[in-house]
Amino acid sequence: ALTATRALELFDAQLASRHLDLVARRLRAEGRGFYTIGSAGHEGNAAVSAALRITDPALLHYRSGGFFVERANRAAGRDPVRDVLLGVVAAAQDPASGGRHKVFGRHDLAVIPQTSTIASHLPRAVGVAFAIERARRVGAPSGWPDDAVVVCSFGDASANHSTAVGAINAATNLAYRRLPLPVLFVCEDNGIGISVPTAPGWIGAAYSGRVGLEYFTADGCDLVDAHDTATRAVEFVRRQRRPAFLHLRTVRLMGHAGSDVESAYRSRTDLAADLERDPLVGSARLLVSAGVLTPDDVLARYRAVGARIDDEARAVLAELPLATRAEVMRPLAGPSSVVVAGHVRHVAEKYSLAHDPDEPLTVARAVNAALAEALDTDPTTLVFGEDVGRKGGVYGVTRGLADRFGTARVFDTLLDEQAILGLAAGAGLSGLLPIPEIQYLAYLHNAEDQIRGEAATLGFFSAGQYRNPMVVRIAGYGYQEGFGGHFHNDDAVAVLRDVPGIVVASPALPDDAAAMLRTCVAAARTSGTVCVFLEPIARYHTRDLHEPGDGRWLAPYPAAGEHVPIGRGRVHRDGHDLTIVTFGNGLYLSLRAAKTLMERGIHVRVLDLRWLAPLPVDDLLREANATGRVLVADETRASGGVSEGVLAALVDAGFTGPMARVTSADSYVPLGDAARLVLLSQREIEHAAVALVGR
């Protein structure tokens, strides 16, 4: 199926990719380039690009020079050589990332930029493929053609990573259940990962014959074989809407990167064998044997491409890099409070409450009502996770939503947090609004890179061209009367608080939970914000605060249009002796402690932070100055806990009054009554308050 004209075009793309590698290394040697991981030996992926449409979303690994050049060459007015070189020299004009990282990416070519975290983009690729089909099912636009194919490339070493294995397992599981998933996995197998060889035959043995995964294999150094096999694989996925695996056998030339000396760990025989399979030589041989070019034509073409790329390399050196901190961080800017408030008001205009607005609700019921509001007012909203559908969640928080809104929009997933968050990243990227649930905070940690390395970085490394809005609901914290032990009582939130650009919400009261979820949904929808919504398990069904039957932990659903601005706290009580700063279960403990302290003549005010990132610094300073003394009651750990950030914010702002903190211990939470030995207690808050006030 490969015509002579098309073969010549692909050969030119391969030549450009090779010369880009050579120029990148020369620029690095001159101290003017900053990236040398190349595509030499992998130029056969240009044939994969040729088999696809330029509207097919592509998530590419870092040896995709041939693919990128070929795709850009088919789009009028695109210069892939200049694009890549601008990334190599970290120029602010780089159209992929704006000089923040050298990636293959371009919004108008449907190339979604990926960073180099191993295989982290595979779950997102599955999510994009899922979103194409699910958007059509729910009647929402996905941003991609209805018959699009998602292509995702990675290396043979990456294929062994748990993230890759999990993503491919999720894809095959969906196919086994006869759910459409148009994704093509392309494993470019060069037989080595940096210096560690891949066992010969392993990729074929591991991925051929898999249930739900159509397997294709081709010689990536043979342009005809690569093109024809890739064409068959793409057509299979496009027509069948099922996942396929293209095993593209390649070689790696010039080492892993510019600083890599292959002779230190590879034999001369192995290096020579790879040179014999150089895909450029293979393509040249094909064109000469077909009478398209002469050997002299090949050399002249090679030199002409090299000269053009050398000229472009000199030209891009005149482009300026990012010059200020503000320029670097521009894609991390938080959502506009005005825009968020406007969206909440807009939603209120088309939503009428389905229950009595004066009815007091628990936290669980308030979250349920807010999810129903999001689903009812935006057809692109999806709620999903383990057990959230028919069961309605382990704690009943999503009960009834699947019946009311249908299983296309409220559904159960595999027991795989990486797959859940990857699905969210792909769905958000494709125009949907995902609200995934992670069943317990402890379960986040085996998948946190899907937030840290994928969702949170996409806007940064695409200069804001791509966003993946999401609101990740996580049941967390402790105080479940000793039930469940560590994996059901986790307070490790430090992993979230240091991720640039994300919003971390931590409501404690029912009305705050509903209003803050409204805010997060609005921020995600209007600004592409990645929000993490931490829900205190122990407070889900709490009704009383001080005495049985007092109903002091209940609250009505907030009025239409009400929300909590990001980074704003809430003050309880108006004492003048001490300010207690807290959040989550700490609010419950602190309010109880405040009542006891008042009986001892100590009048406190309690500031509920509500937002852990960004912290409500203005409210914190105001309430600290109101009493002149601050006690931080922090249910997270002493090391890496929230209190460290609170005290640092006070010091940075010049607060000089007495400060102290009480926290949970640097310990895992044990089972049974022993949990009380390591978790923050009401008594500890009271003792610390007395000591700080001096009474």
Side-chain angles (χ1 to χ4, degrees), residues 152-479:
C152 176
S153 60
F154 51 97
D156 50 292
S158 298
N160 297 304
H161 198 281
S162 63
T163 310
V165 174
I168 295 172
N169 177 75
T172 56
N173 181 277
L174 289 167
Y176 182 76
R177 294 158 54 195
R178 301 185 182 278
L179 293 172
L181 195 80
V183 60
L184 175 63
F185 298 106
V186 181
C187 179
E188 299 183 16
D189 180 5
N190 61 30
I192 195 166
I194 303 184
S195 67
V196 180
T198 297
W202 167 245
I203 296 299
Y207 289 102
S208 63
R210 290 280 295 271
V211 173
L213 187 68
E214 195 74 10
Y215 177 81
F216 299 84
T217 184
D219 183 355
C221 301
D222 179 334
L223 197 60
V224 172
D225 189 25
H227 176 270
D228 288 355
T229 305
T231 299
R232 288 191 293 113
V234 169
E235 286 308 305
F236 170 85
V237 177
R238 197 177 305 281
R239 292 178 180 176
Q240 300 294 325
R241 315 308 286 167
R242 291 171 51 200
F245 188 101
L246 173 56
H247 180 192
L248 197 66
R249 303 185 305 279
T250 67
V251 293
R252 189 187 73 188
L253 305 177
M254 306 196 313
H256 174 69
S259 60
D260 182 31
V261 181
E262 282 192 300
S263 59
Y265 55 85
R266 298 187 72 191
S267 69
R268 288 177 178 268
T269 301
D270 288 344
L271 293 173
D274 278 358
L275 282 172
E276 286 294 319
R277 295 188 62 223
D278 186 331
L280 266 63
V281 176
S283 296
R285 185 181 297 116
L286 169 70
L287 292 164
V288 170
S289 65
V292 179
L293 297 176
T294 67
D296 287 342
D297 292 336
V298 169
L299 291 175
R301 207 173 194 95
Y302 177 85
R303 291 169 183 146
V305 171
R308 181 173 71 86
I309 291 178
D310 283 346
D311 289 344
E312 191 62 55
R314 285 191 291 271
V316 299
L317 290 174
E319 297 291 346
L320 298 176
L322 294 166
T324 67
R325 178 180 291 184
E327 285 182 304
V328 172
M329 297 178 64
R330 186 170 293 122
L332 298 175
S336 163
S337 59
V338 174
V339 172
V340 168
H343 184 81
V344 172
R345 288 194 300 270
H346 172 70
V347 169
E349 292 172 359
K350 58 180 181 178
Y351 183 69
S352 57
L353 296 179
H355 54 79
D356 182 355
D358 296 323
E359 178 189 3
L361 303 177
T362 61
V363 169
R365 290 192 60 198
V367 172
N368 180 283
L371 291 172
E373 179 179 320
L375 288 160
D376 193 54
T377 55
D378 185 350
T380 70
T381 301
L382 305 178
V383 173
F384 54 89
E386 301 163 20
D387 303 303
V388 305
R390 180 176 298 181
K391 180 178 175 65
V394 173
Y395 296 94
V397 178
T398 57
R399 185 172 297 150
L401 295 180
D403 291 338
R404 182 175 171 187
F405 297 100
T407 55
R409 299 182 62 204
V410 181
F411 53 90
D412 296 322
T413 64
L414 295 177
L415 199 158
D416 179 4
E417 286 74 24
Q418 287 187 141
I420 293 170
L421 294 175
L423 175 60
L429 175 64
S430 303
L432 302 177
L433 180 58
I435 307 181
E437 177 186 291
I438 300 299
Q439 202 164 85
Y440 291 99
L441 179 58
Y443 299 170
L444 170 71
H445 304 310
N446 62 16
E448 61 198 27
D449 187 55
Q450 289 300 303
I451 293 178
R452 174 184 298 276
E454 281 291 317
T457 64
L458 183 61
F460 186 80
F461 290 123
S462 69
Q465 298 174 84
Y466 284 110
R467 297 283 186 178
N468 41 209
M470 65 177 73
V471 181
V472 184
R473 294 180 46 249
I474 305 177
Y477 303 131
Y479 301 95

